Amino acid sequence: DQQVKQNSPSLSVQEGRISILNCDYTNSMFDYFLWYKKYPAEGPTFLISISSIKDKNEDGRFTVFLNKSAKHLSLHIVPSQPGDSAVYFCAASEYGNKLVFGAGTILRVKS
Amino acid sequence: NAGVTQTPKFRILKIGQSMTLQCTQDMNHNYMYWYRQDPGMGLKLIYYSVGAGITDKGEVPNGYNVSRSTTEDFPLRLELAAPSQTSVYFCASATVAKNIQYFGAGTRLSVL
């Protein structure tokens, strides 16, 4: 039973345009959500996070939106750059407990 | 600034062999984790530790063992390697706040 789902295995976007990566979860007790970015042959690196008491968090070109009623979060990257091409993992935790990861979305930014 | 270091980077094992995947961190983090990532799947938690001398099972612990004798080191032991353990293994560490985990570069293991 997947508690965190990333339904799009891959996404292709033109350089300069917006990339939107989506994530759905089923556990209503999750209170903290994170996005990780992973390049080939490297470990995941933390990108941005959001607490369940907020509905938006912004960091430069990256913005995460949380819709608790829909149990949905999304990551917006504006503008997208070729260096953003990577696998993006959504993760969630309950009261600072263990992280549960989605399967990841491969983002390709074309120049 | 090393962060989380995993060795080896690659390893091929024969069925039934044993090995230890090493993980060390220099950030003085209390919490450490072992994950495996299979193709097309997310990271699944194998074992975790909240401090030296304390370990607990994650989602997929069968076939693995861990120990945590120091804050810095968290080795993962495979006793009788099986083809189902072919995967990429990641070690991570986190502060007491726990939410943001920092990952090593991974160990790619093939069991043939």
Side-chain angles (χ1 to χ4, degrees):
Chain A
D1 179 31
Q2 279 187 286
Q3 297 188 71
V4 177
K5 296 180 184 179
Q6 295 177 255
N7 292 317
S8 298
S10 64
L11 174 68
S12 186
V13 171
Q14 199 67 34
E15 181 180 6
R17 305 296 292 269
I18 185 172
S19 295
I20 300 176
L21 295 94
N22 294 303
C23 178
D24 297 297
Y25 62 96
T26 58
N27 186 346
S28 58
M29 302 302 287
F30 286 146
D31 62 351
Y32 199 78
F33 304 87
L34 307 88
W35 284 95
Y36 280 83
K37 176 179 179 179
K38 184 183 178 306
Y39 291 119
E42 295 183 10
T45 56
F46 170 73
L47 189 58
I48 192 169
S49 63
I50 187 167
S51 164
S52 60
I53 62 173
K54 295 186 174 182
D55 54 17
K56 177 182 174 182
N57 188 27
E58 206 168 345
D59 184 1
R61 297 185 298 113
F62 302 92
T63 302
V64 56
F65 295 92
L66 176 62
N67 182 332
K68 289 187 291 292
S69 61
K71 295 191 180 68
H72 177 82
L73 69 157
S74 61
L75 174 68
H76 293 209
I77 306 174
V78 184
S80 301
Q81 300 173 353
D84 295 329
S85 297
V87 180
Y88 289 78
F89 291 100
C90 169
S93 73
E94 179 184 339
Y95 302 124
N97 213 322
K98 304 177 286 292
L99 290 179
V100 179
F101 284 85
T105 296
I106 300 170
L107 174 65
R108 296 186 184 92
V109 180
K110 298 175 289 186
S111 56
Chain B
N1 195 7
V4 179
T5 302
Q6 291 184 239
T7 56
K9 293 191 186 308
F10 305 96
R11 184 72 185 268
I12 298 174
L13 281 183
K14 293 183 179 179
I15 295 171
Q17 286 186 320
S18 61
M19 77 163 293
T20 299
L21 283 67
Q22 301 291 345
C23 175
T24 187
Q25 52 94 6
D26 62 0
M27 297 176 283
N28 201 32
H29 286 169
N30 283 330
Y31 294 86
M32 295 189 74
Y33 308 83
W34 274 106
Y35 294 89
R36 61 177 286 172
Q37 185 194 9
D38 299 323
M41 306 289 285
L43 283 74
K44 293 193 182 298
L45 183 64
I46 305 171
Y47 270 96
Y48 67 101
S49 168
V50 301
I54 306 170
T55 62
D56 206 349
K57 295 177 181 179
E59 184 182 357
V60 290
N62 291 344
Y64 307 95
N65 279 300
V66 293
S67 60
R68 183 98 181 270
S69 57
T70 67
T71 299
E72 295 78 19
D73 300 305
F74 190 39
L76 178 72
R77 179 85 176 160
L78 282 71
E79 291 293 351
L80 289 169
S84 61
Q85 294 176 305
T86 294
S87 189
V88 181
Y89 292 84
F90 291 102
C91 178
S93 71
T95 63
V96 173
K98 293 183 284 186
N99 283 314
I100 298 175
Q101 296 181 16
Y102 298 88
F103 285 81
T107 294
R108 184 174 296 274
L109 176 67
S110 294
V111 182
L112 305 174

